[in-house]
Amino acid sequence: MVTLSRSRVMGVALALVAAGAVLYFWPRKEPGVVEAITRQVITMTREAEAKDVSGVMEGVSERFKSDSGWSKQDVRRVLTAQVLRGQWVRVFTTNLEVHEVTPSQGDFQARFIFGRSQAEKLEDLAAESVLSAYLIEGTFEKEEDGTWRVVRAKYRPLDAAELL
């Protein structure tokens, strides 16, 4: 039978704590522009589906301007009105494309499909609900606080033929 002395047990415990601290504080590689923007679009889509307007707006810059002149406050008003009317239950993002412009800027394009349905899959959404869909193109920039936020965007409604 092997017995461990108190000092040996303490030494092993300290080594494990030190190893854990090194792993916890080890610098993590930041995601690239494409991955960071993709994550932000997915996060904003989830927040929209959860009807969390503040969560969606966290991804919109104070400097935001749309091609039709909307500001961040205008976007907040539209989203709030949509949430209050209960226009959608499910939100899907398809055909997401992201392109790095600079290390702190990237352009995106995606189709956002909103449906009044409990469908879990996009394939079931069309059969079970009323749909509205938009093609949104825009630009994200990494702001001083390190958060990627959309600074410019434009949209157009999609008809049913464009969804296929």
Side-chain angles (χ1 to χ4, degrees), residues 32-118:
V33 173
V34 172
E35 184 179 345
I37 292 172
T38 299
R39 287 180 184 180
Q40 186 67 323
V41 168
I42 291 168
T43 297
M44 292 172 74
T45 301
R46 287 181 181 149
E47 298 293 348
E49 188 167 88
K51 296 176 179 53
D52 182 355
V53 173
S54 294
V56 174
M57 297 309 298
E58 180 59 33
V60 179
S61 176
E62 293 297 328
R63 301 176 289 125
F64 177 82
K65 280 291 178 202
S66 75
D67 67 328
S68 53
W70 289 11
S71 68
K72 179 177 181 173
Q73 290 70 30
D74 296 323
V75 172
R76 179 184 297 279
R77 281 192 286 275
V78 169
L79 284 175
T80 301
Q82 291 293 321
V83 167
L84 291 176
R85 284 192 290 167
Q87 290 295 316
W88 72 78
V89 175
R90 302 291 298 164
V91 182
F92 292 93
T93 303
T94 66
N95 299 76
L96 175 61
E97 296 178 19
V98 179
H99 304 283
E100 180 175 338
V101 175
T102 70
S104 61
Q105 185 183 67
D107 292 334
F108 77 98
Q109 175 179 311
R111 294 177 182 179
F112 293 88
I113 303 166
F114 302 86
R116 280 184 277 166
S117 168
Q118 295 298 325

Side-chain angles (χ1 to χ4, degrees), residues 136-161:
I136 299 178
E137 299 175 46
T139 301
F140 275 86
E141 290 182 0
K142 187 175 185 180
E143 296 195 328
E144 287 185 20
D145 67 356
T147 302
W148 286 88
R149 292 189 176 94
V150 65
V151 294
R152 285 185 297 283
K154 63 182 179 177
Y155 78 96
R156 72 173 177 83
L158 295 173
D159 60 38

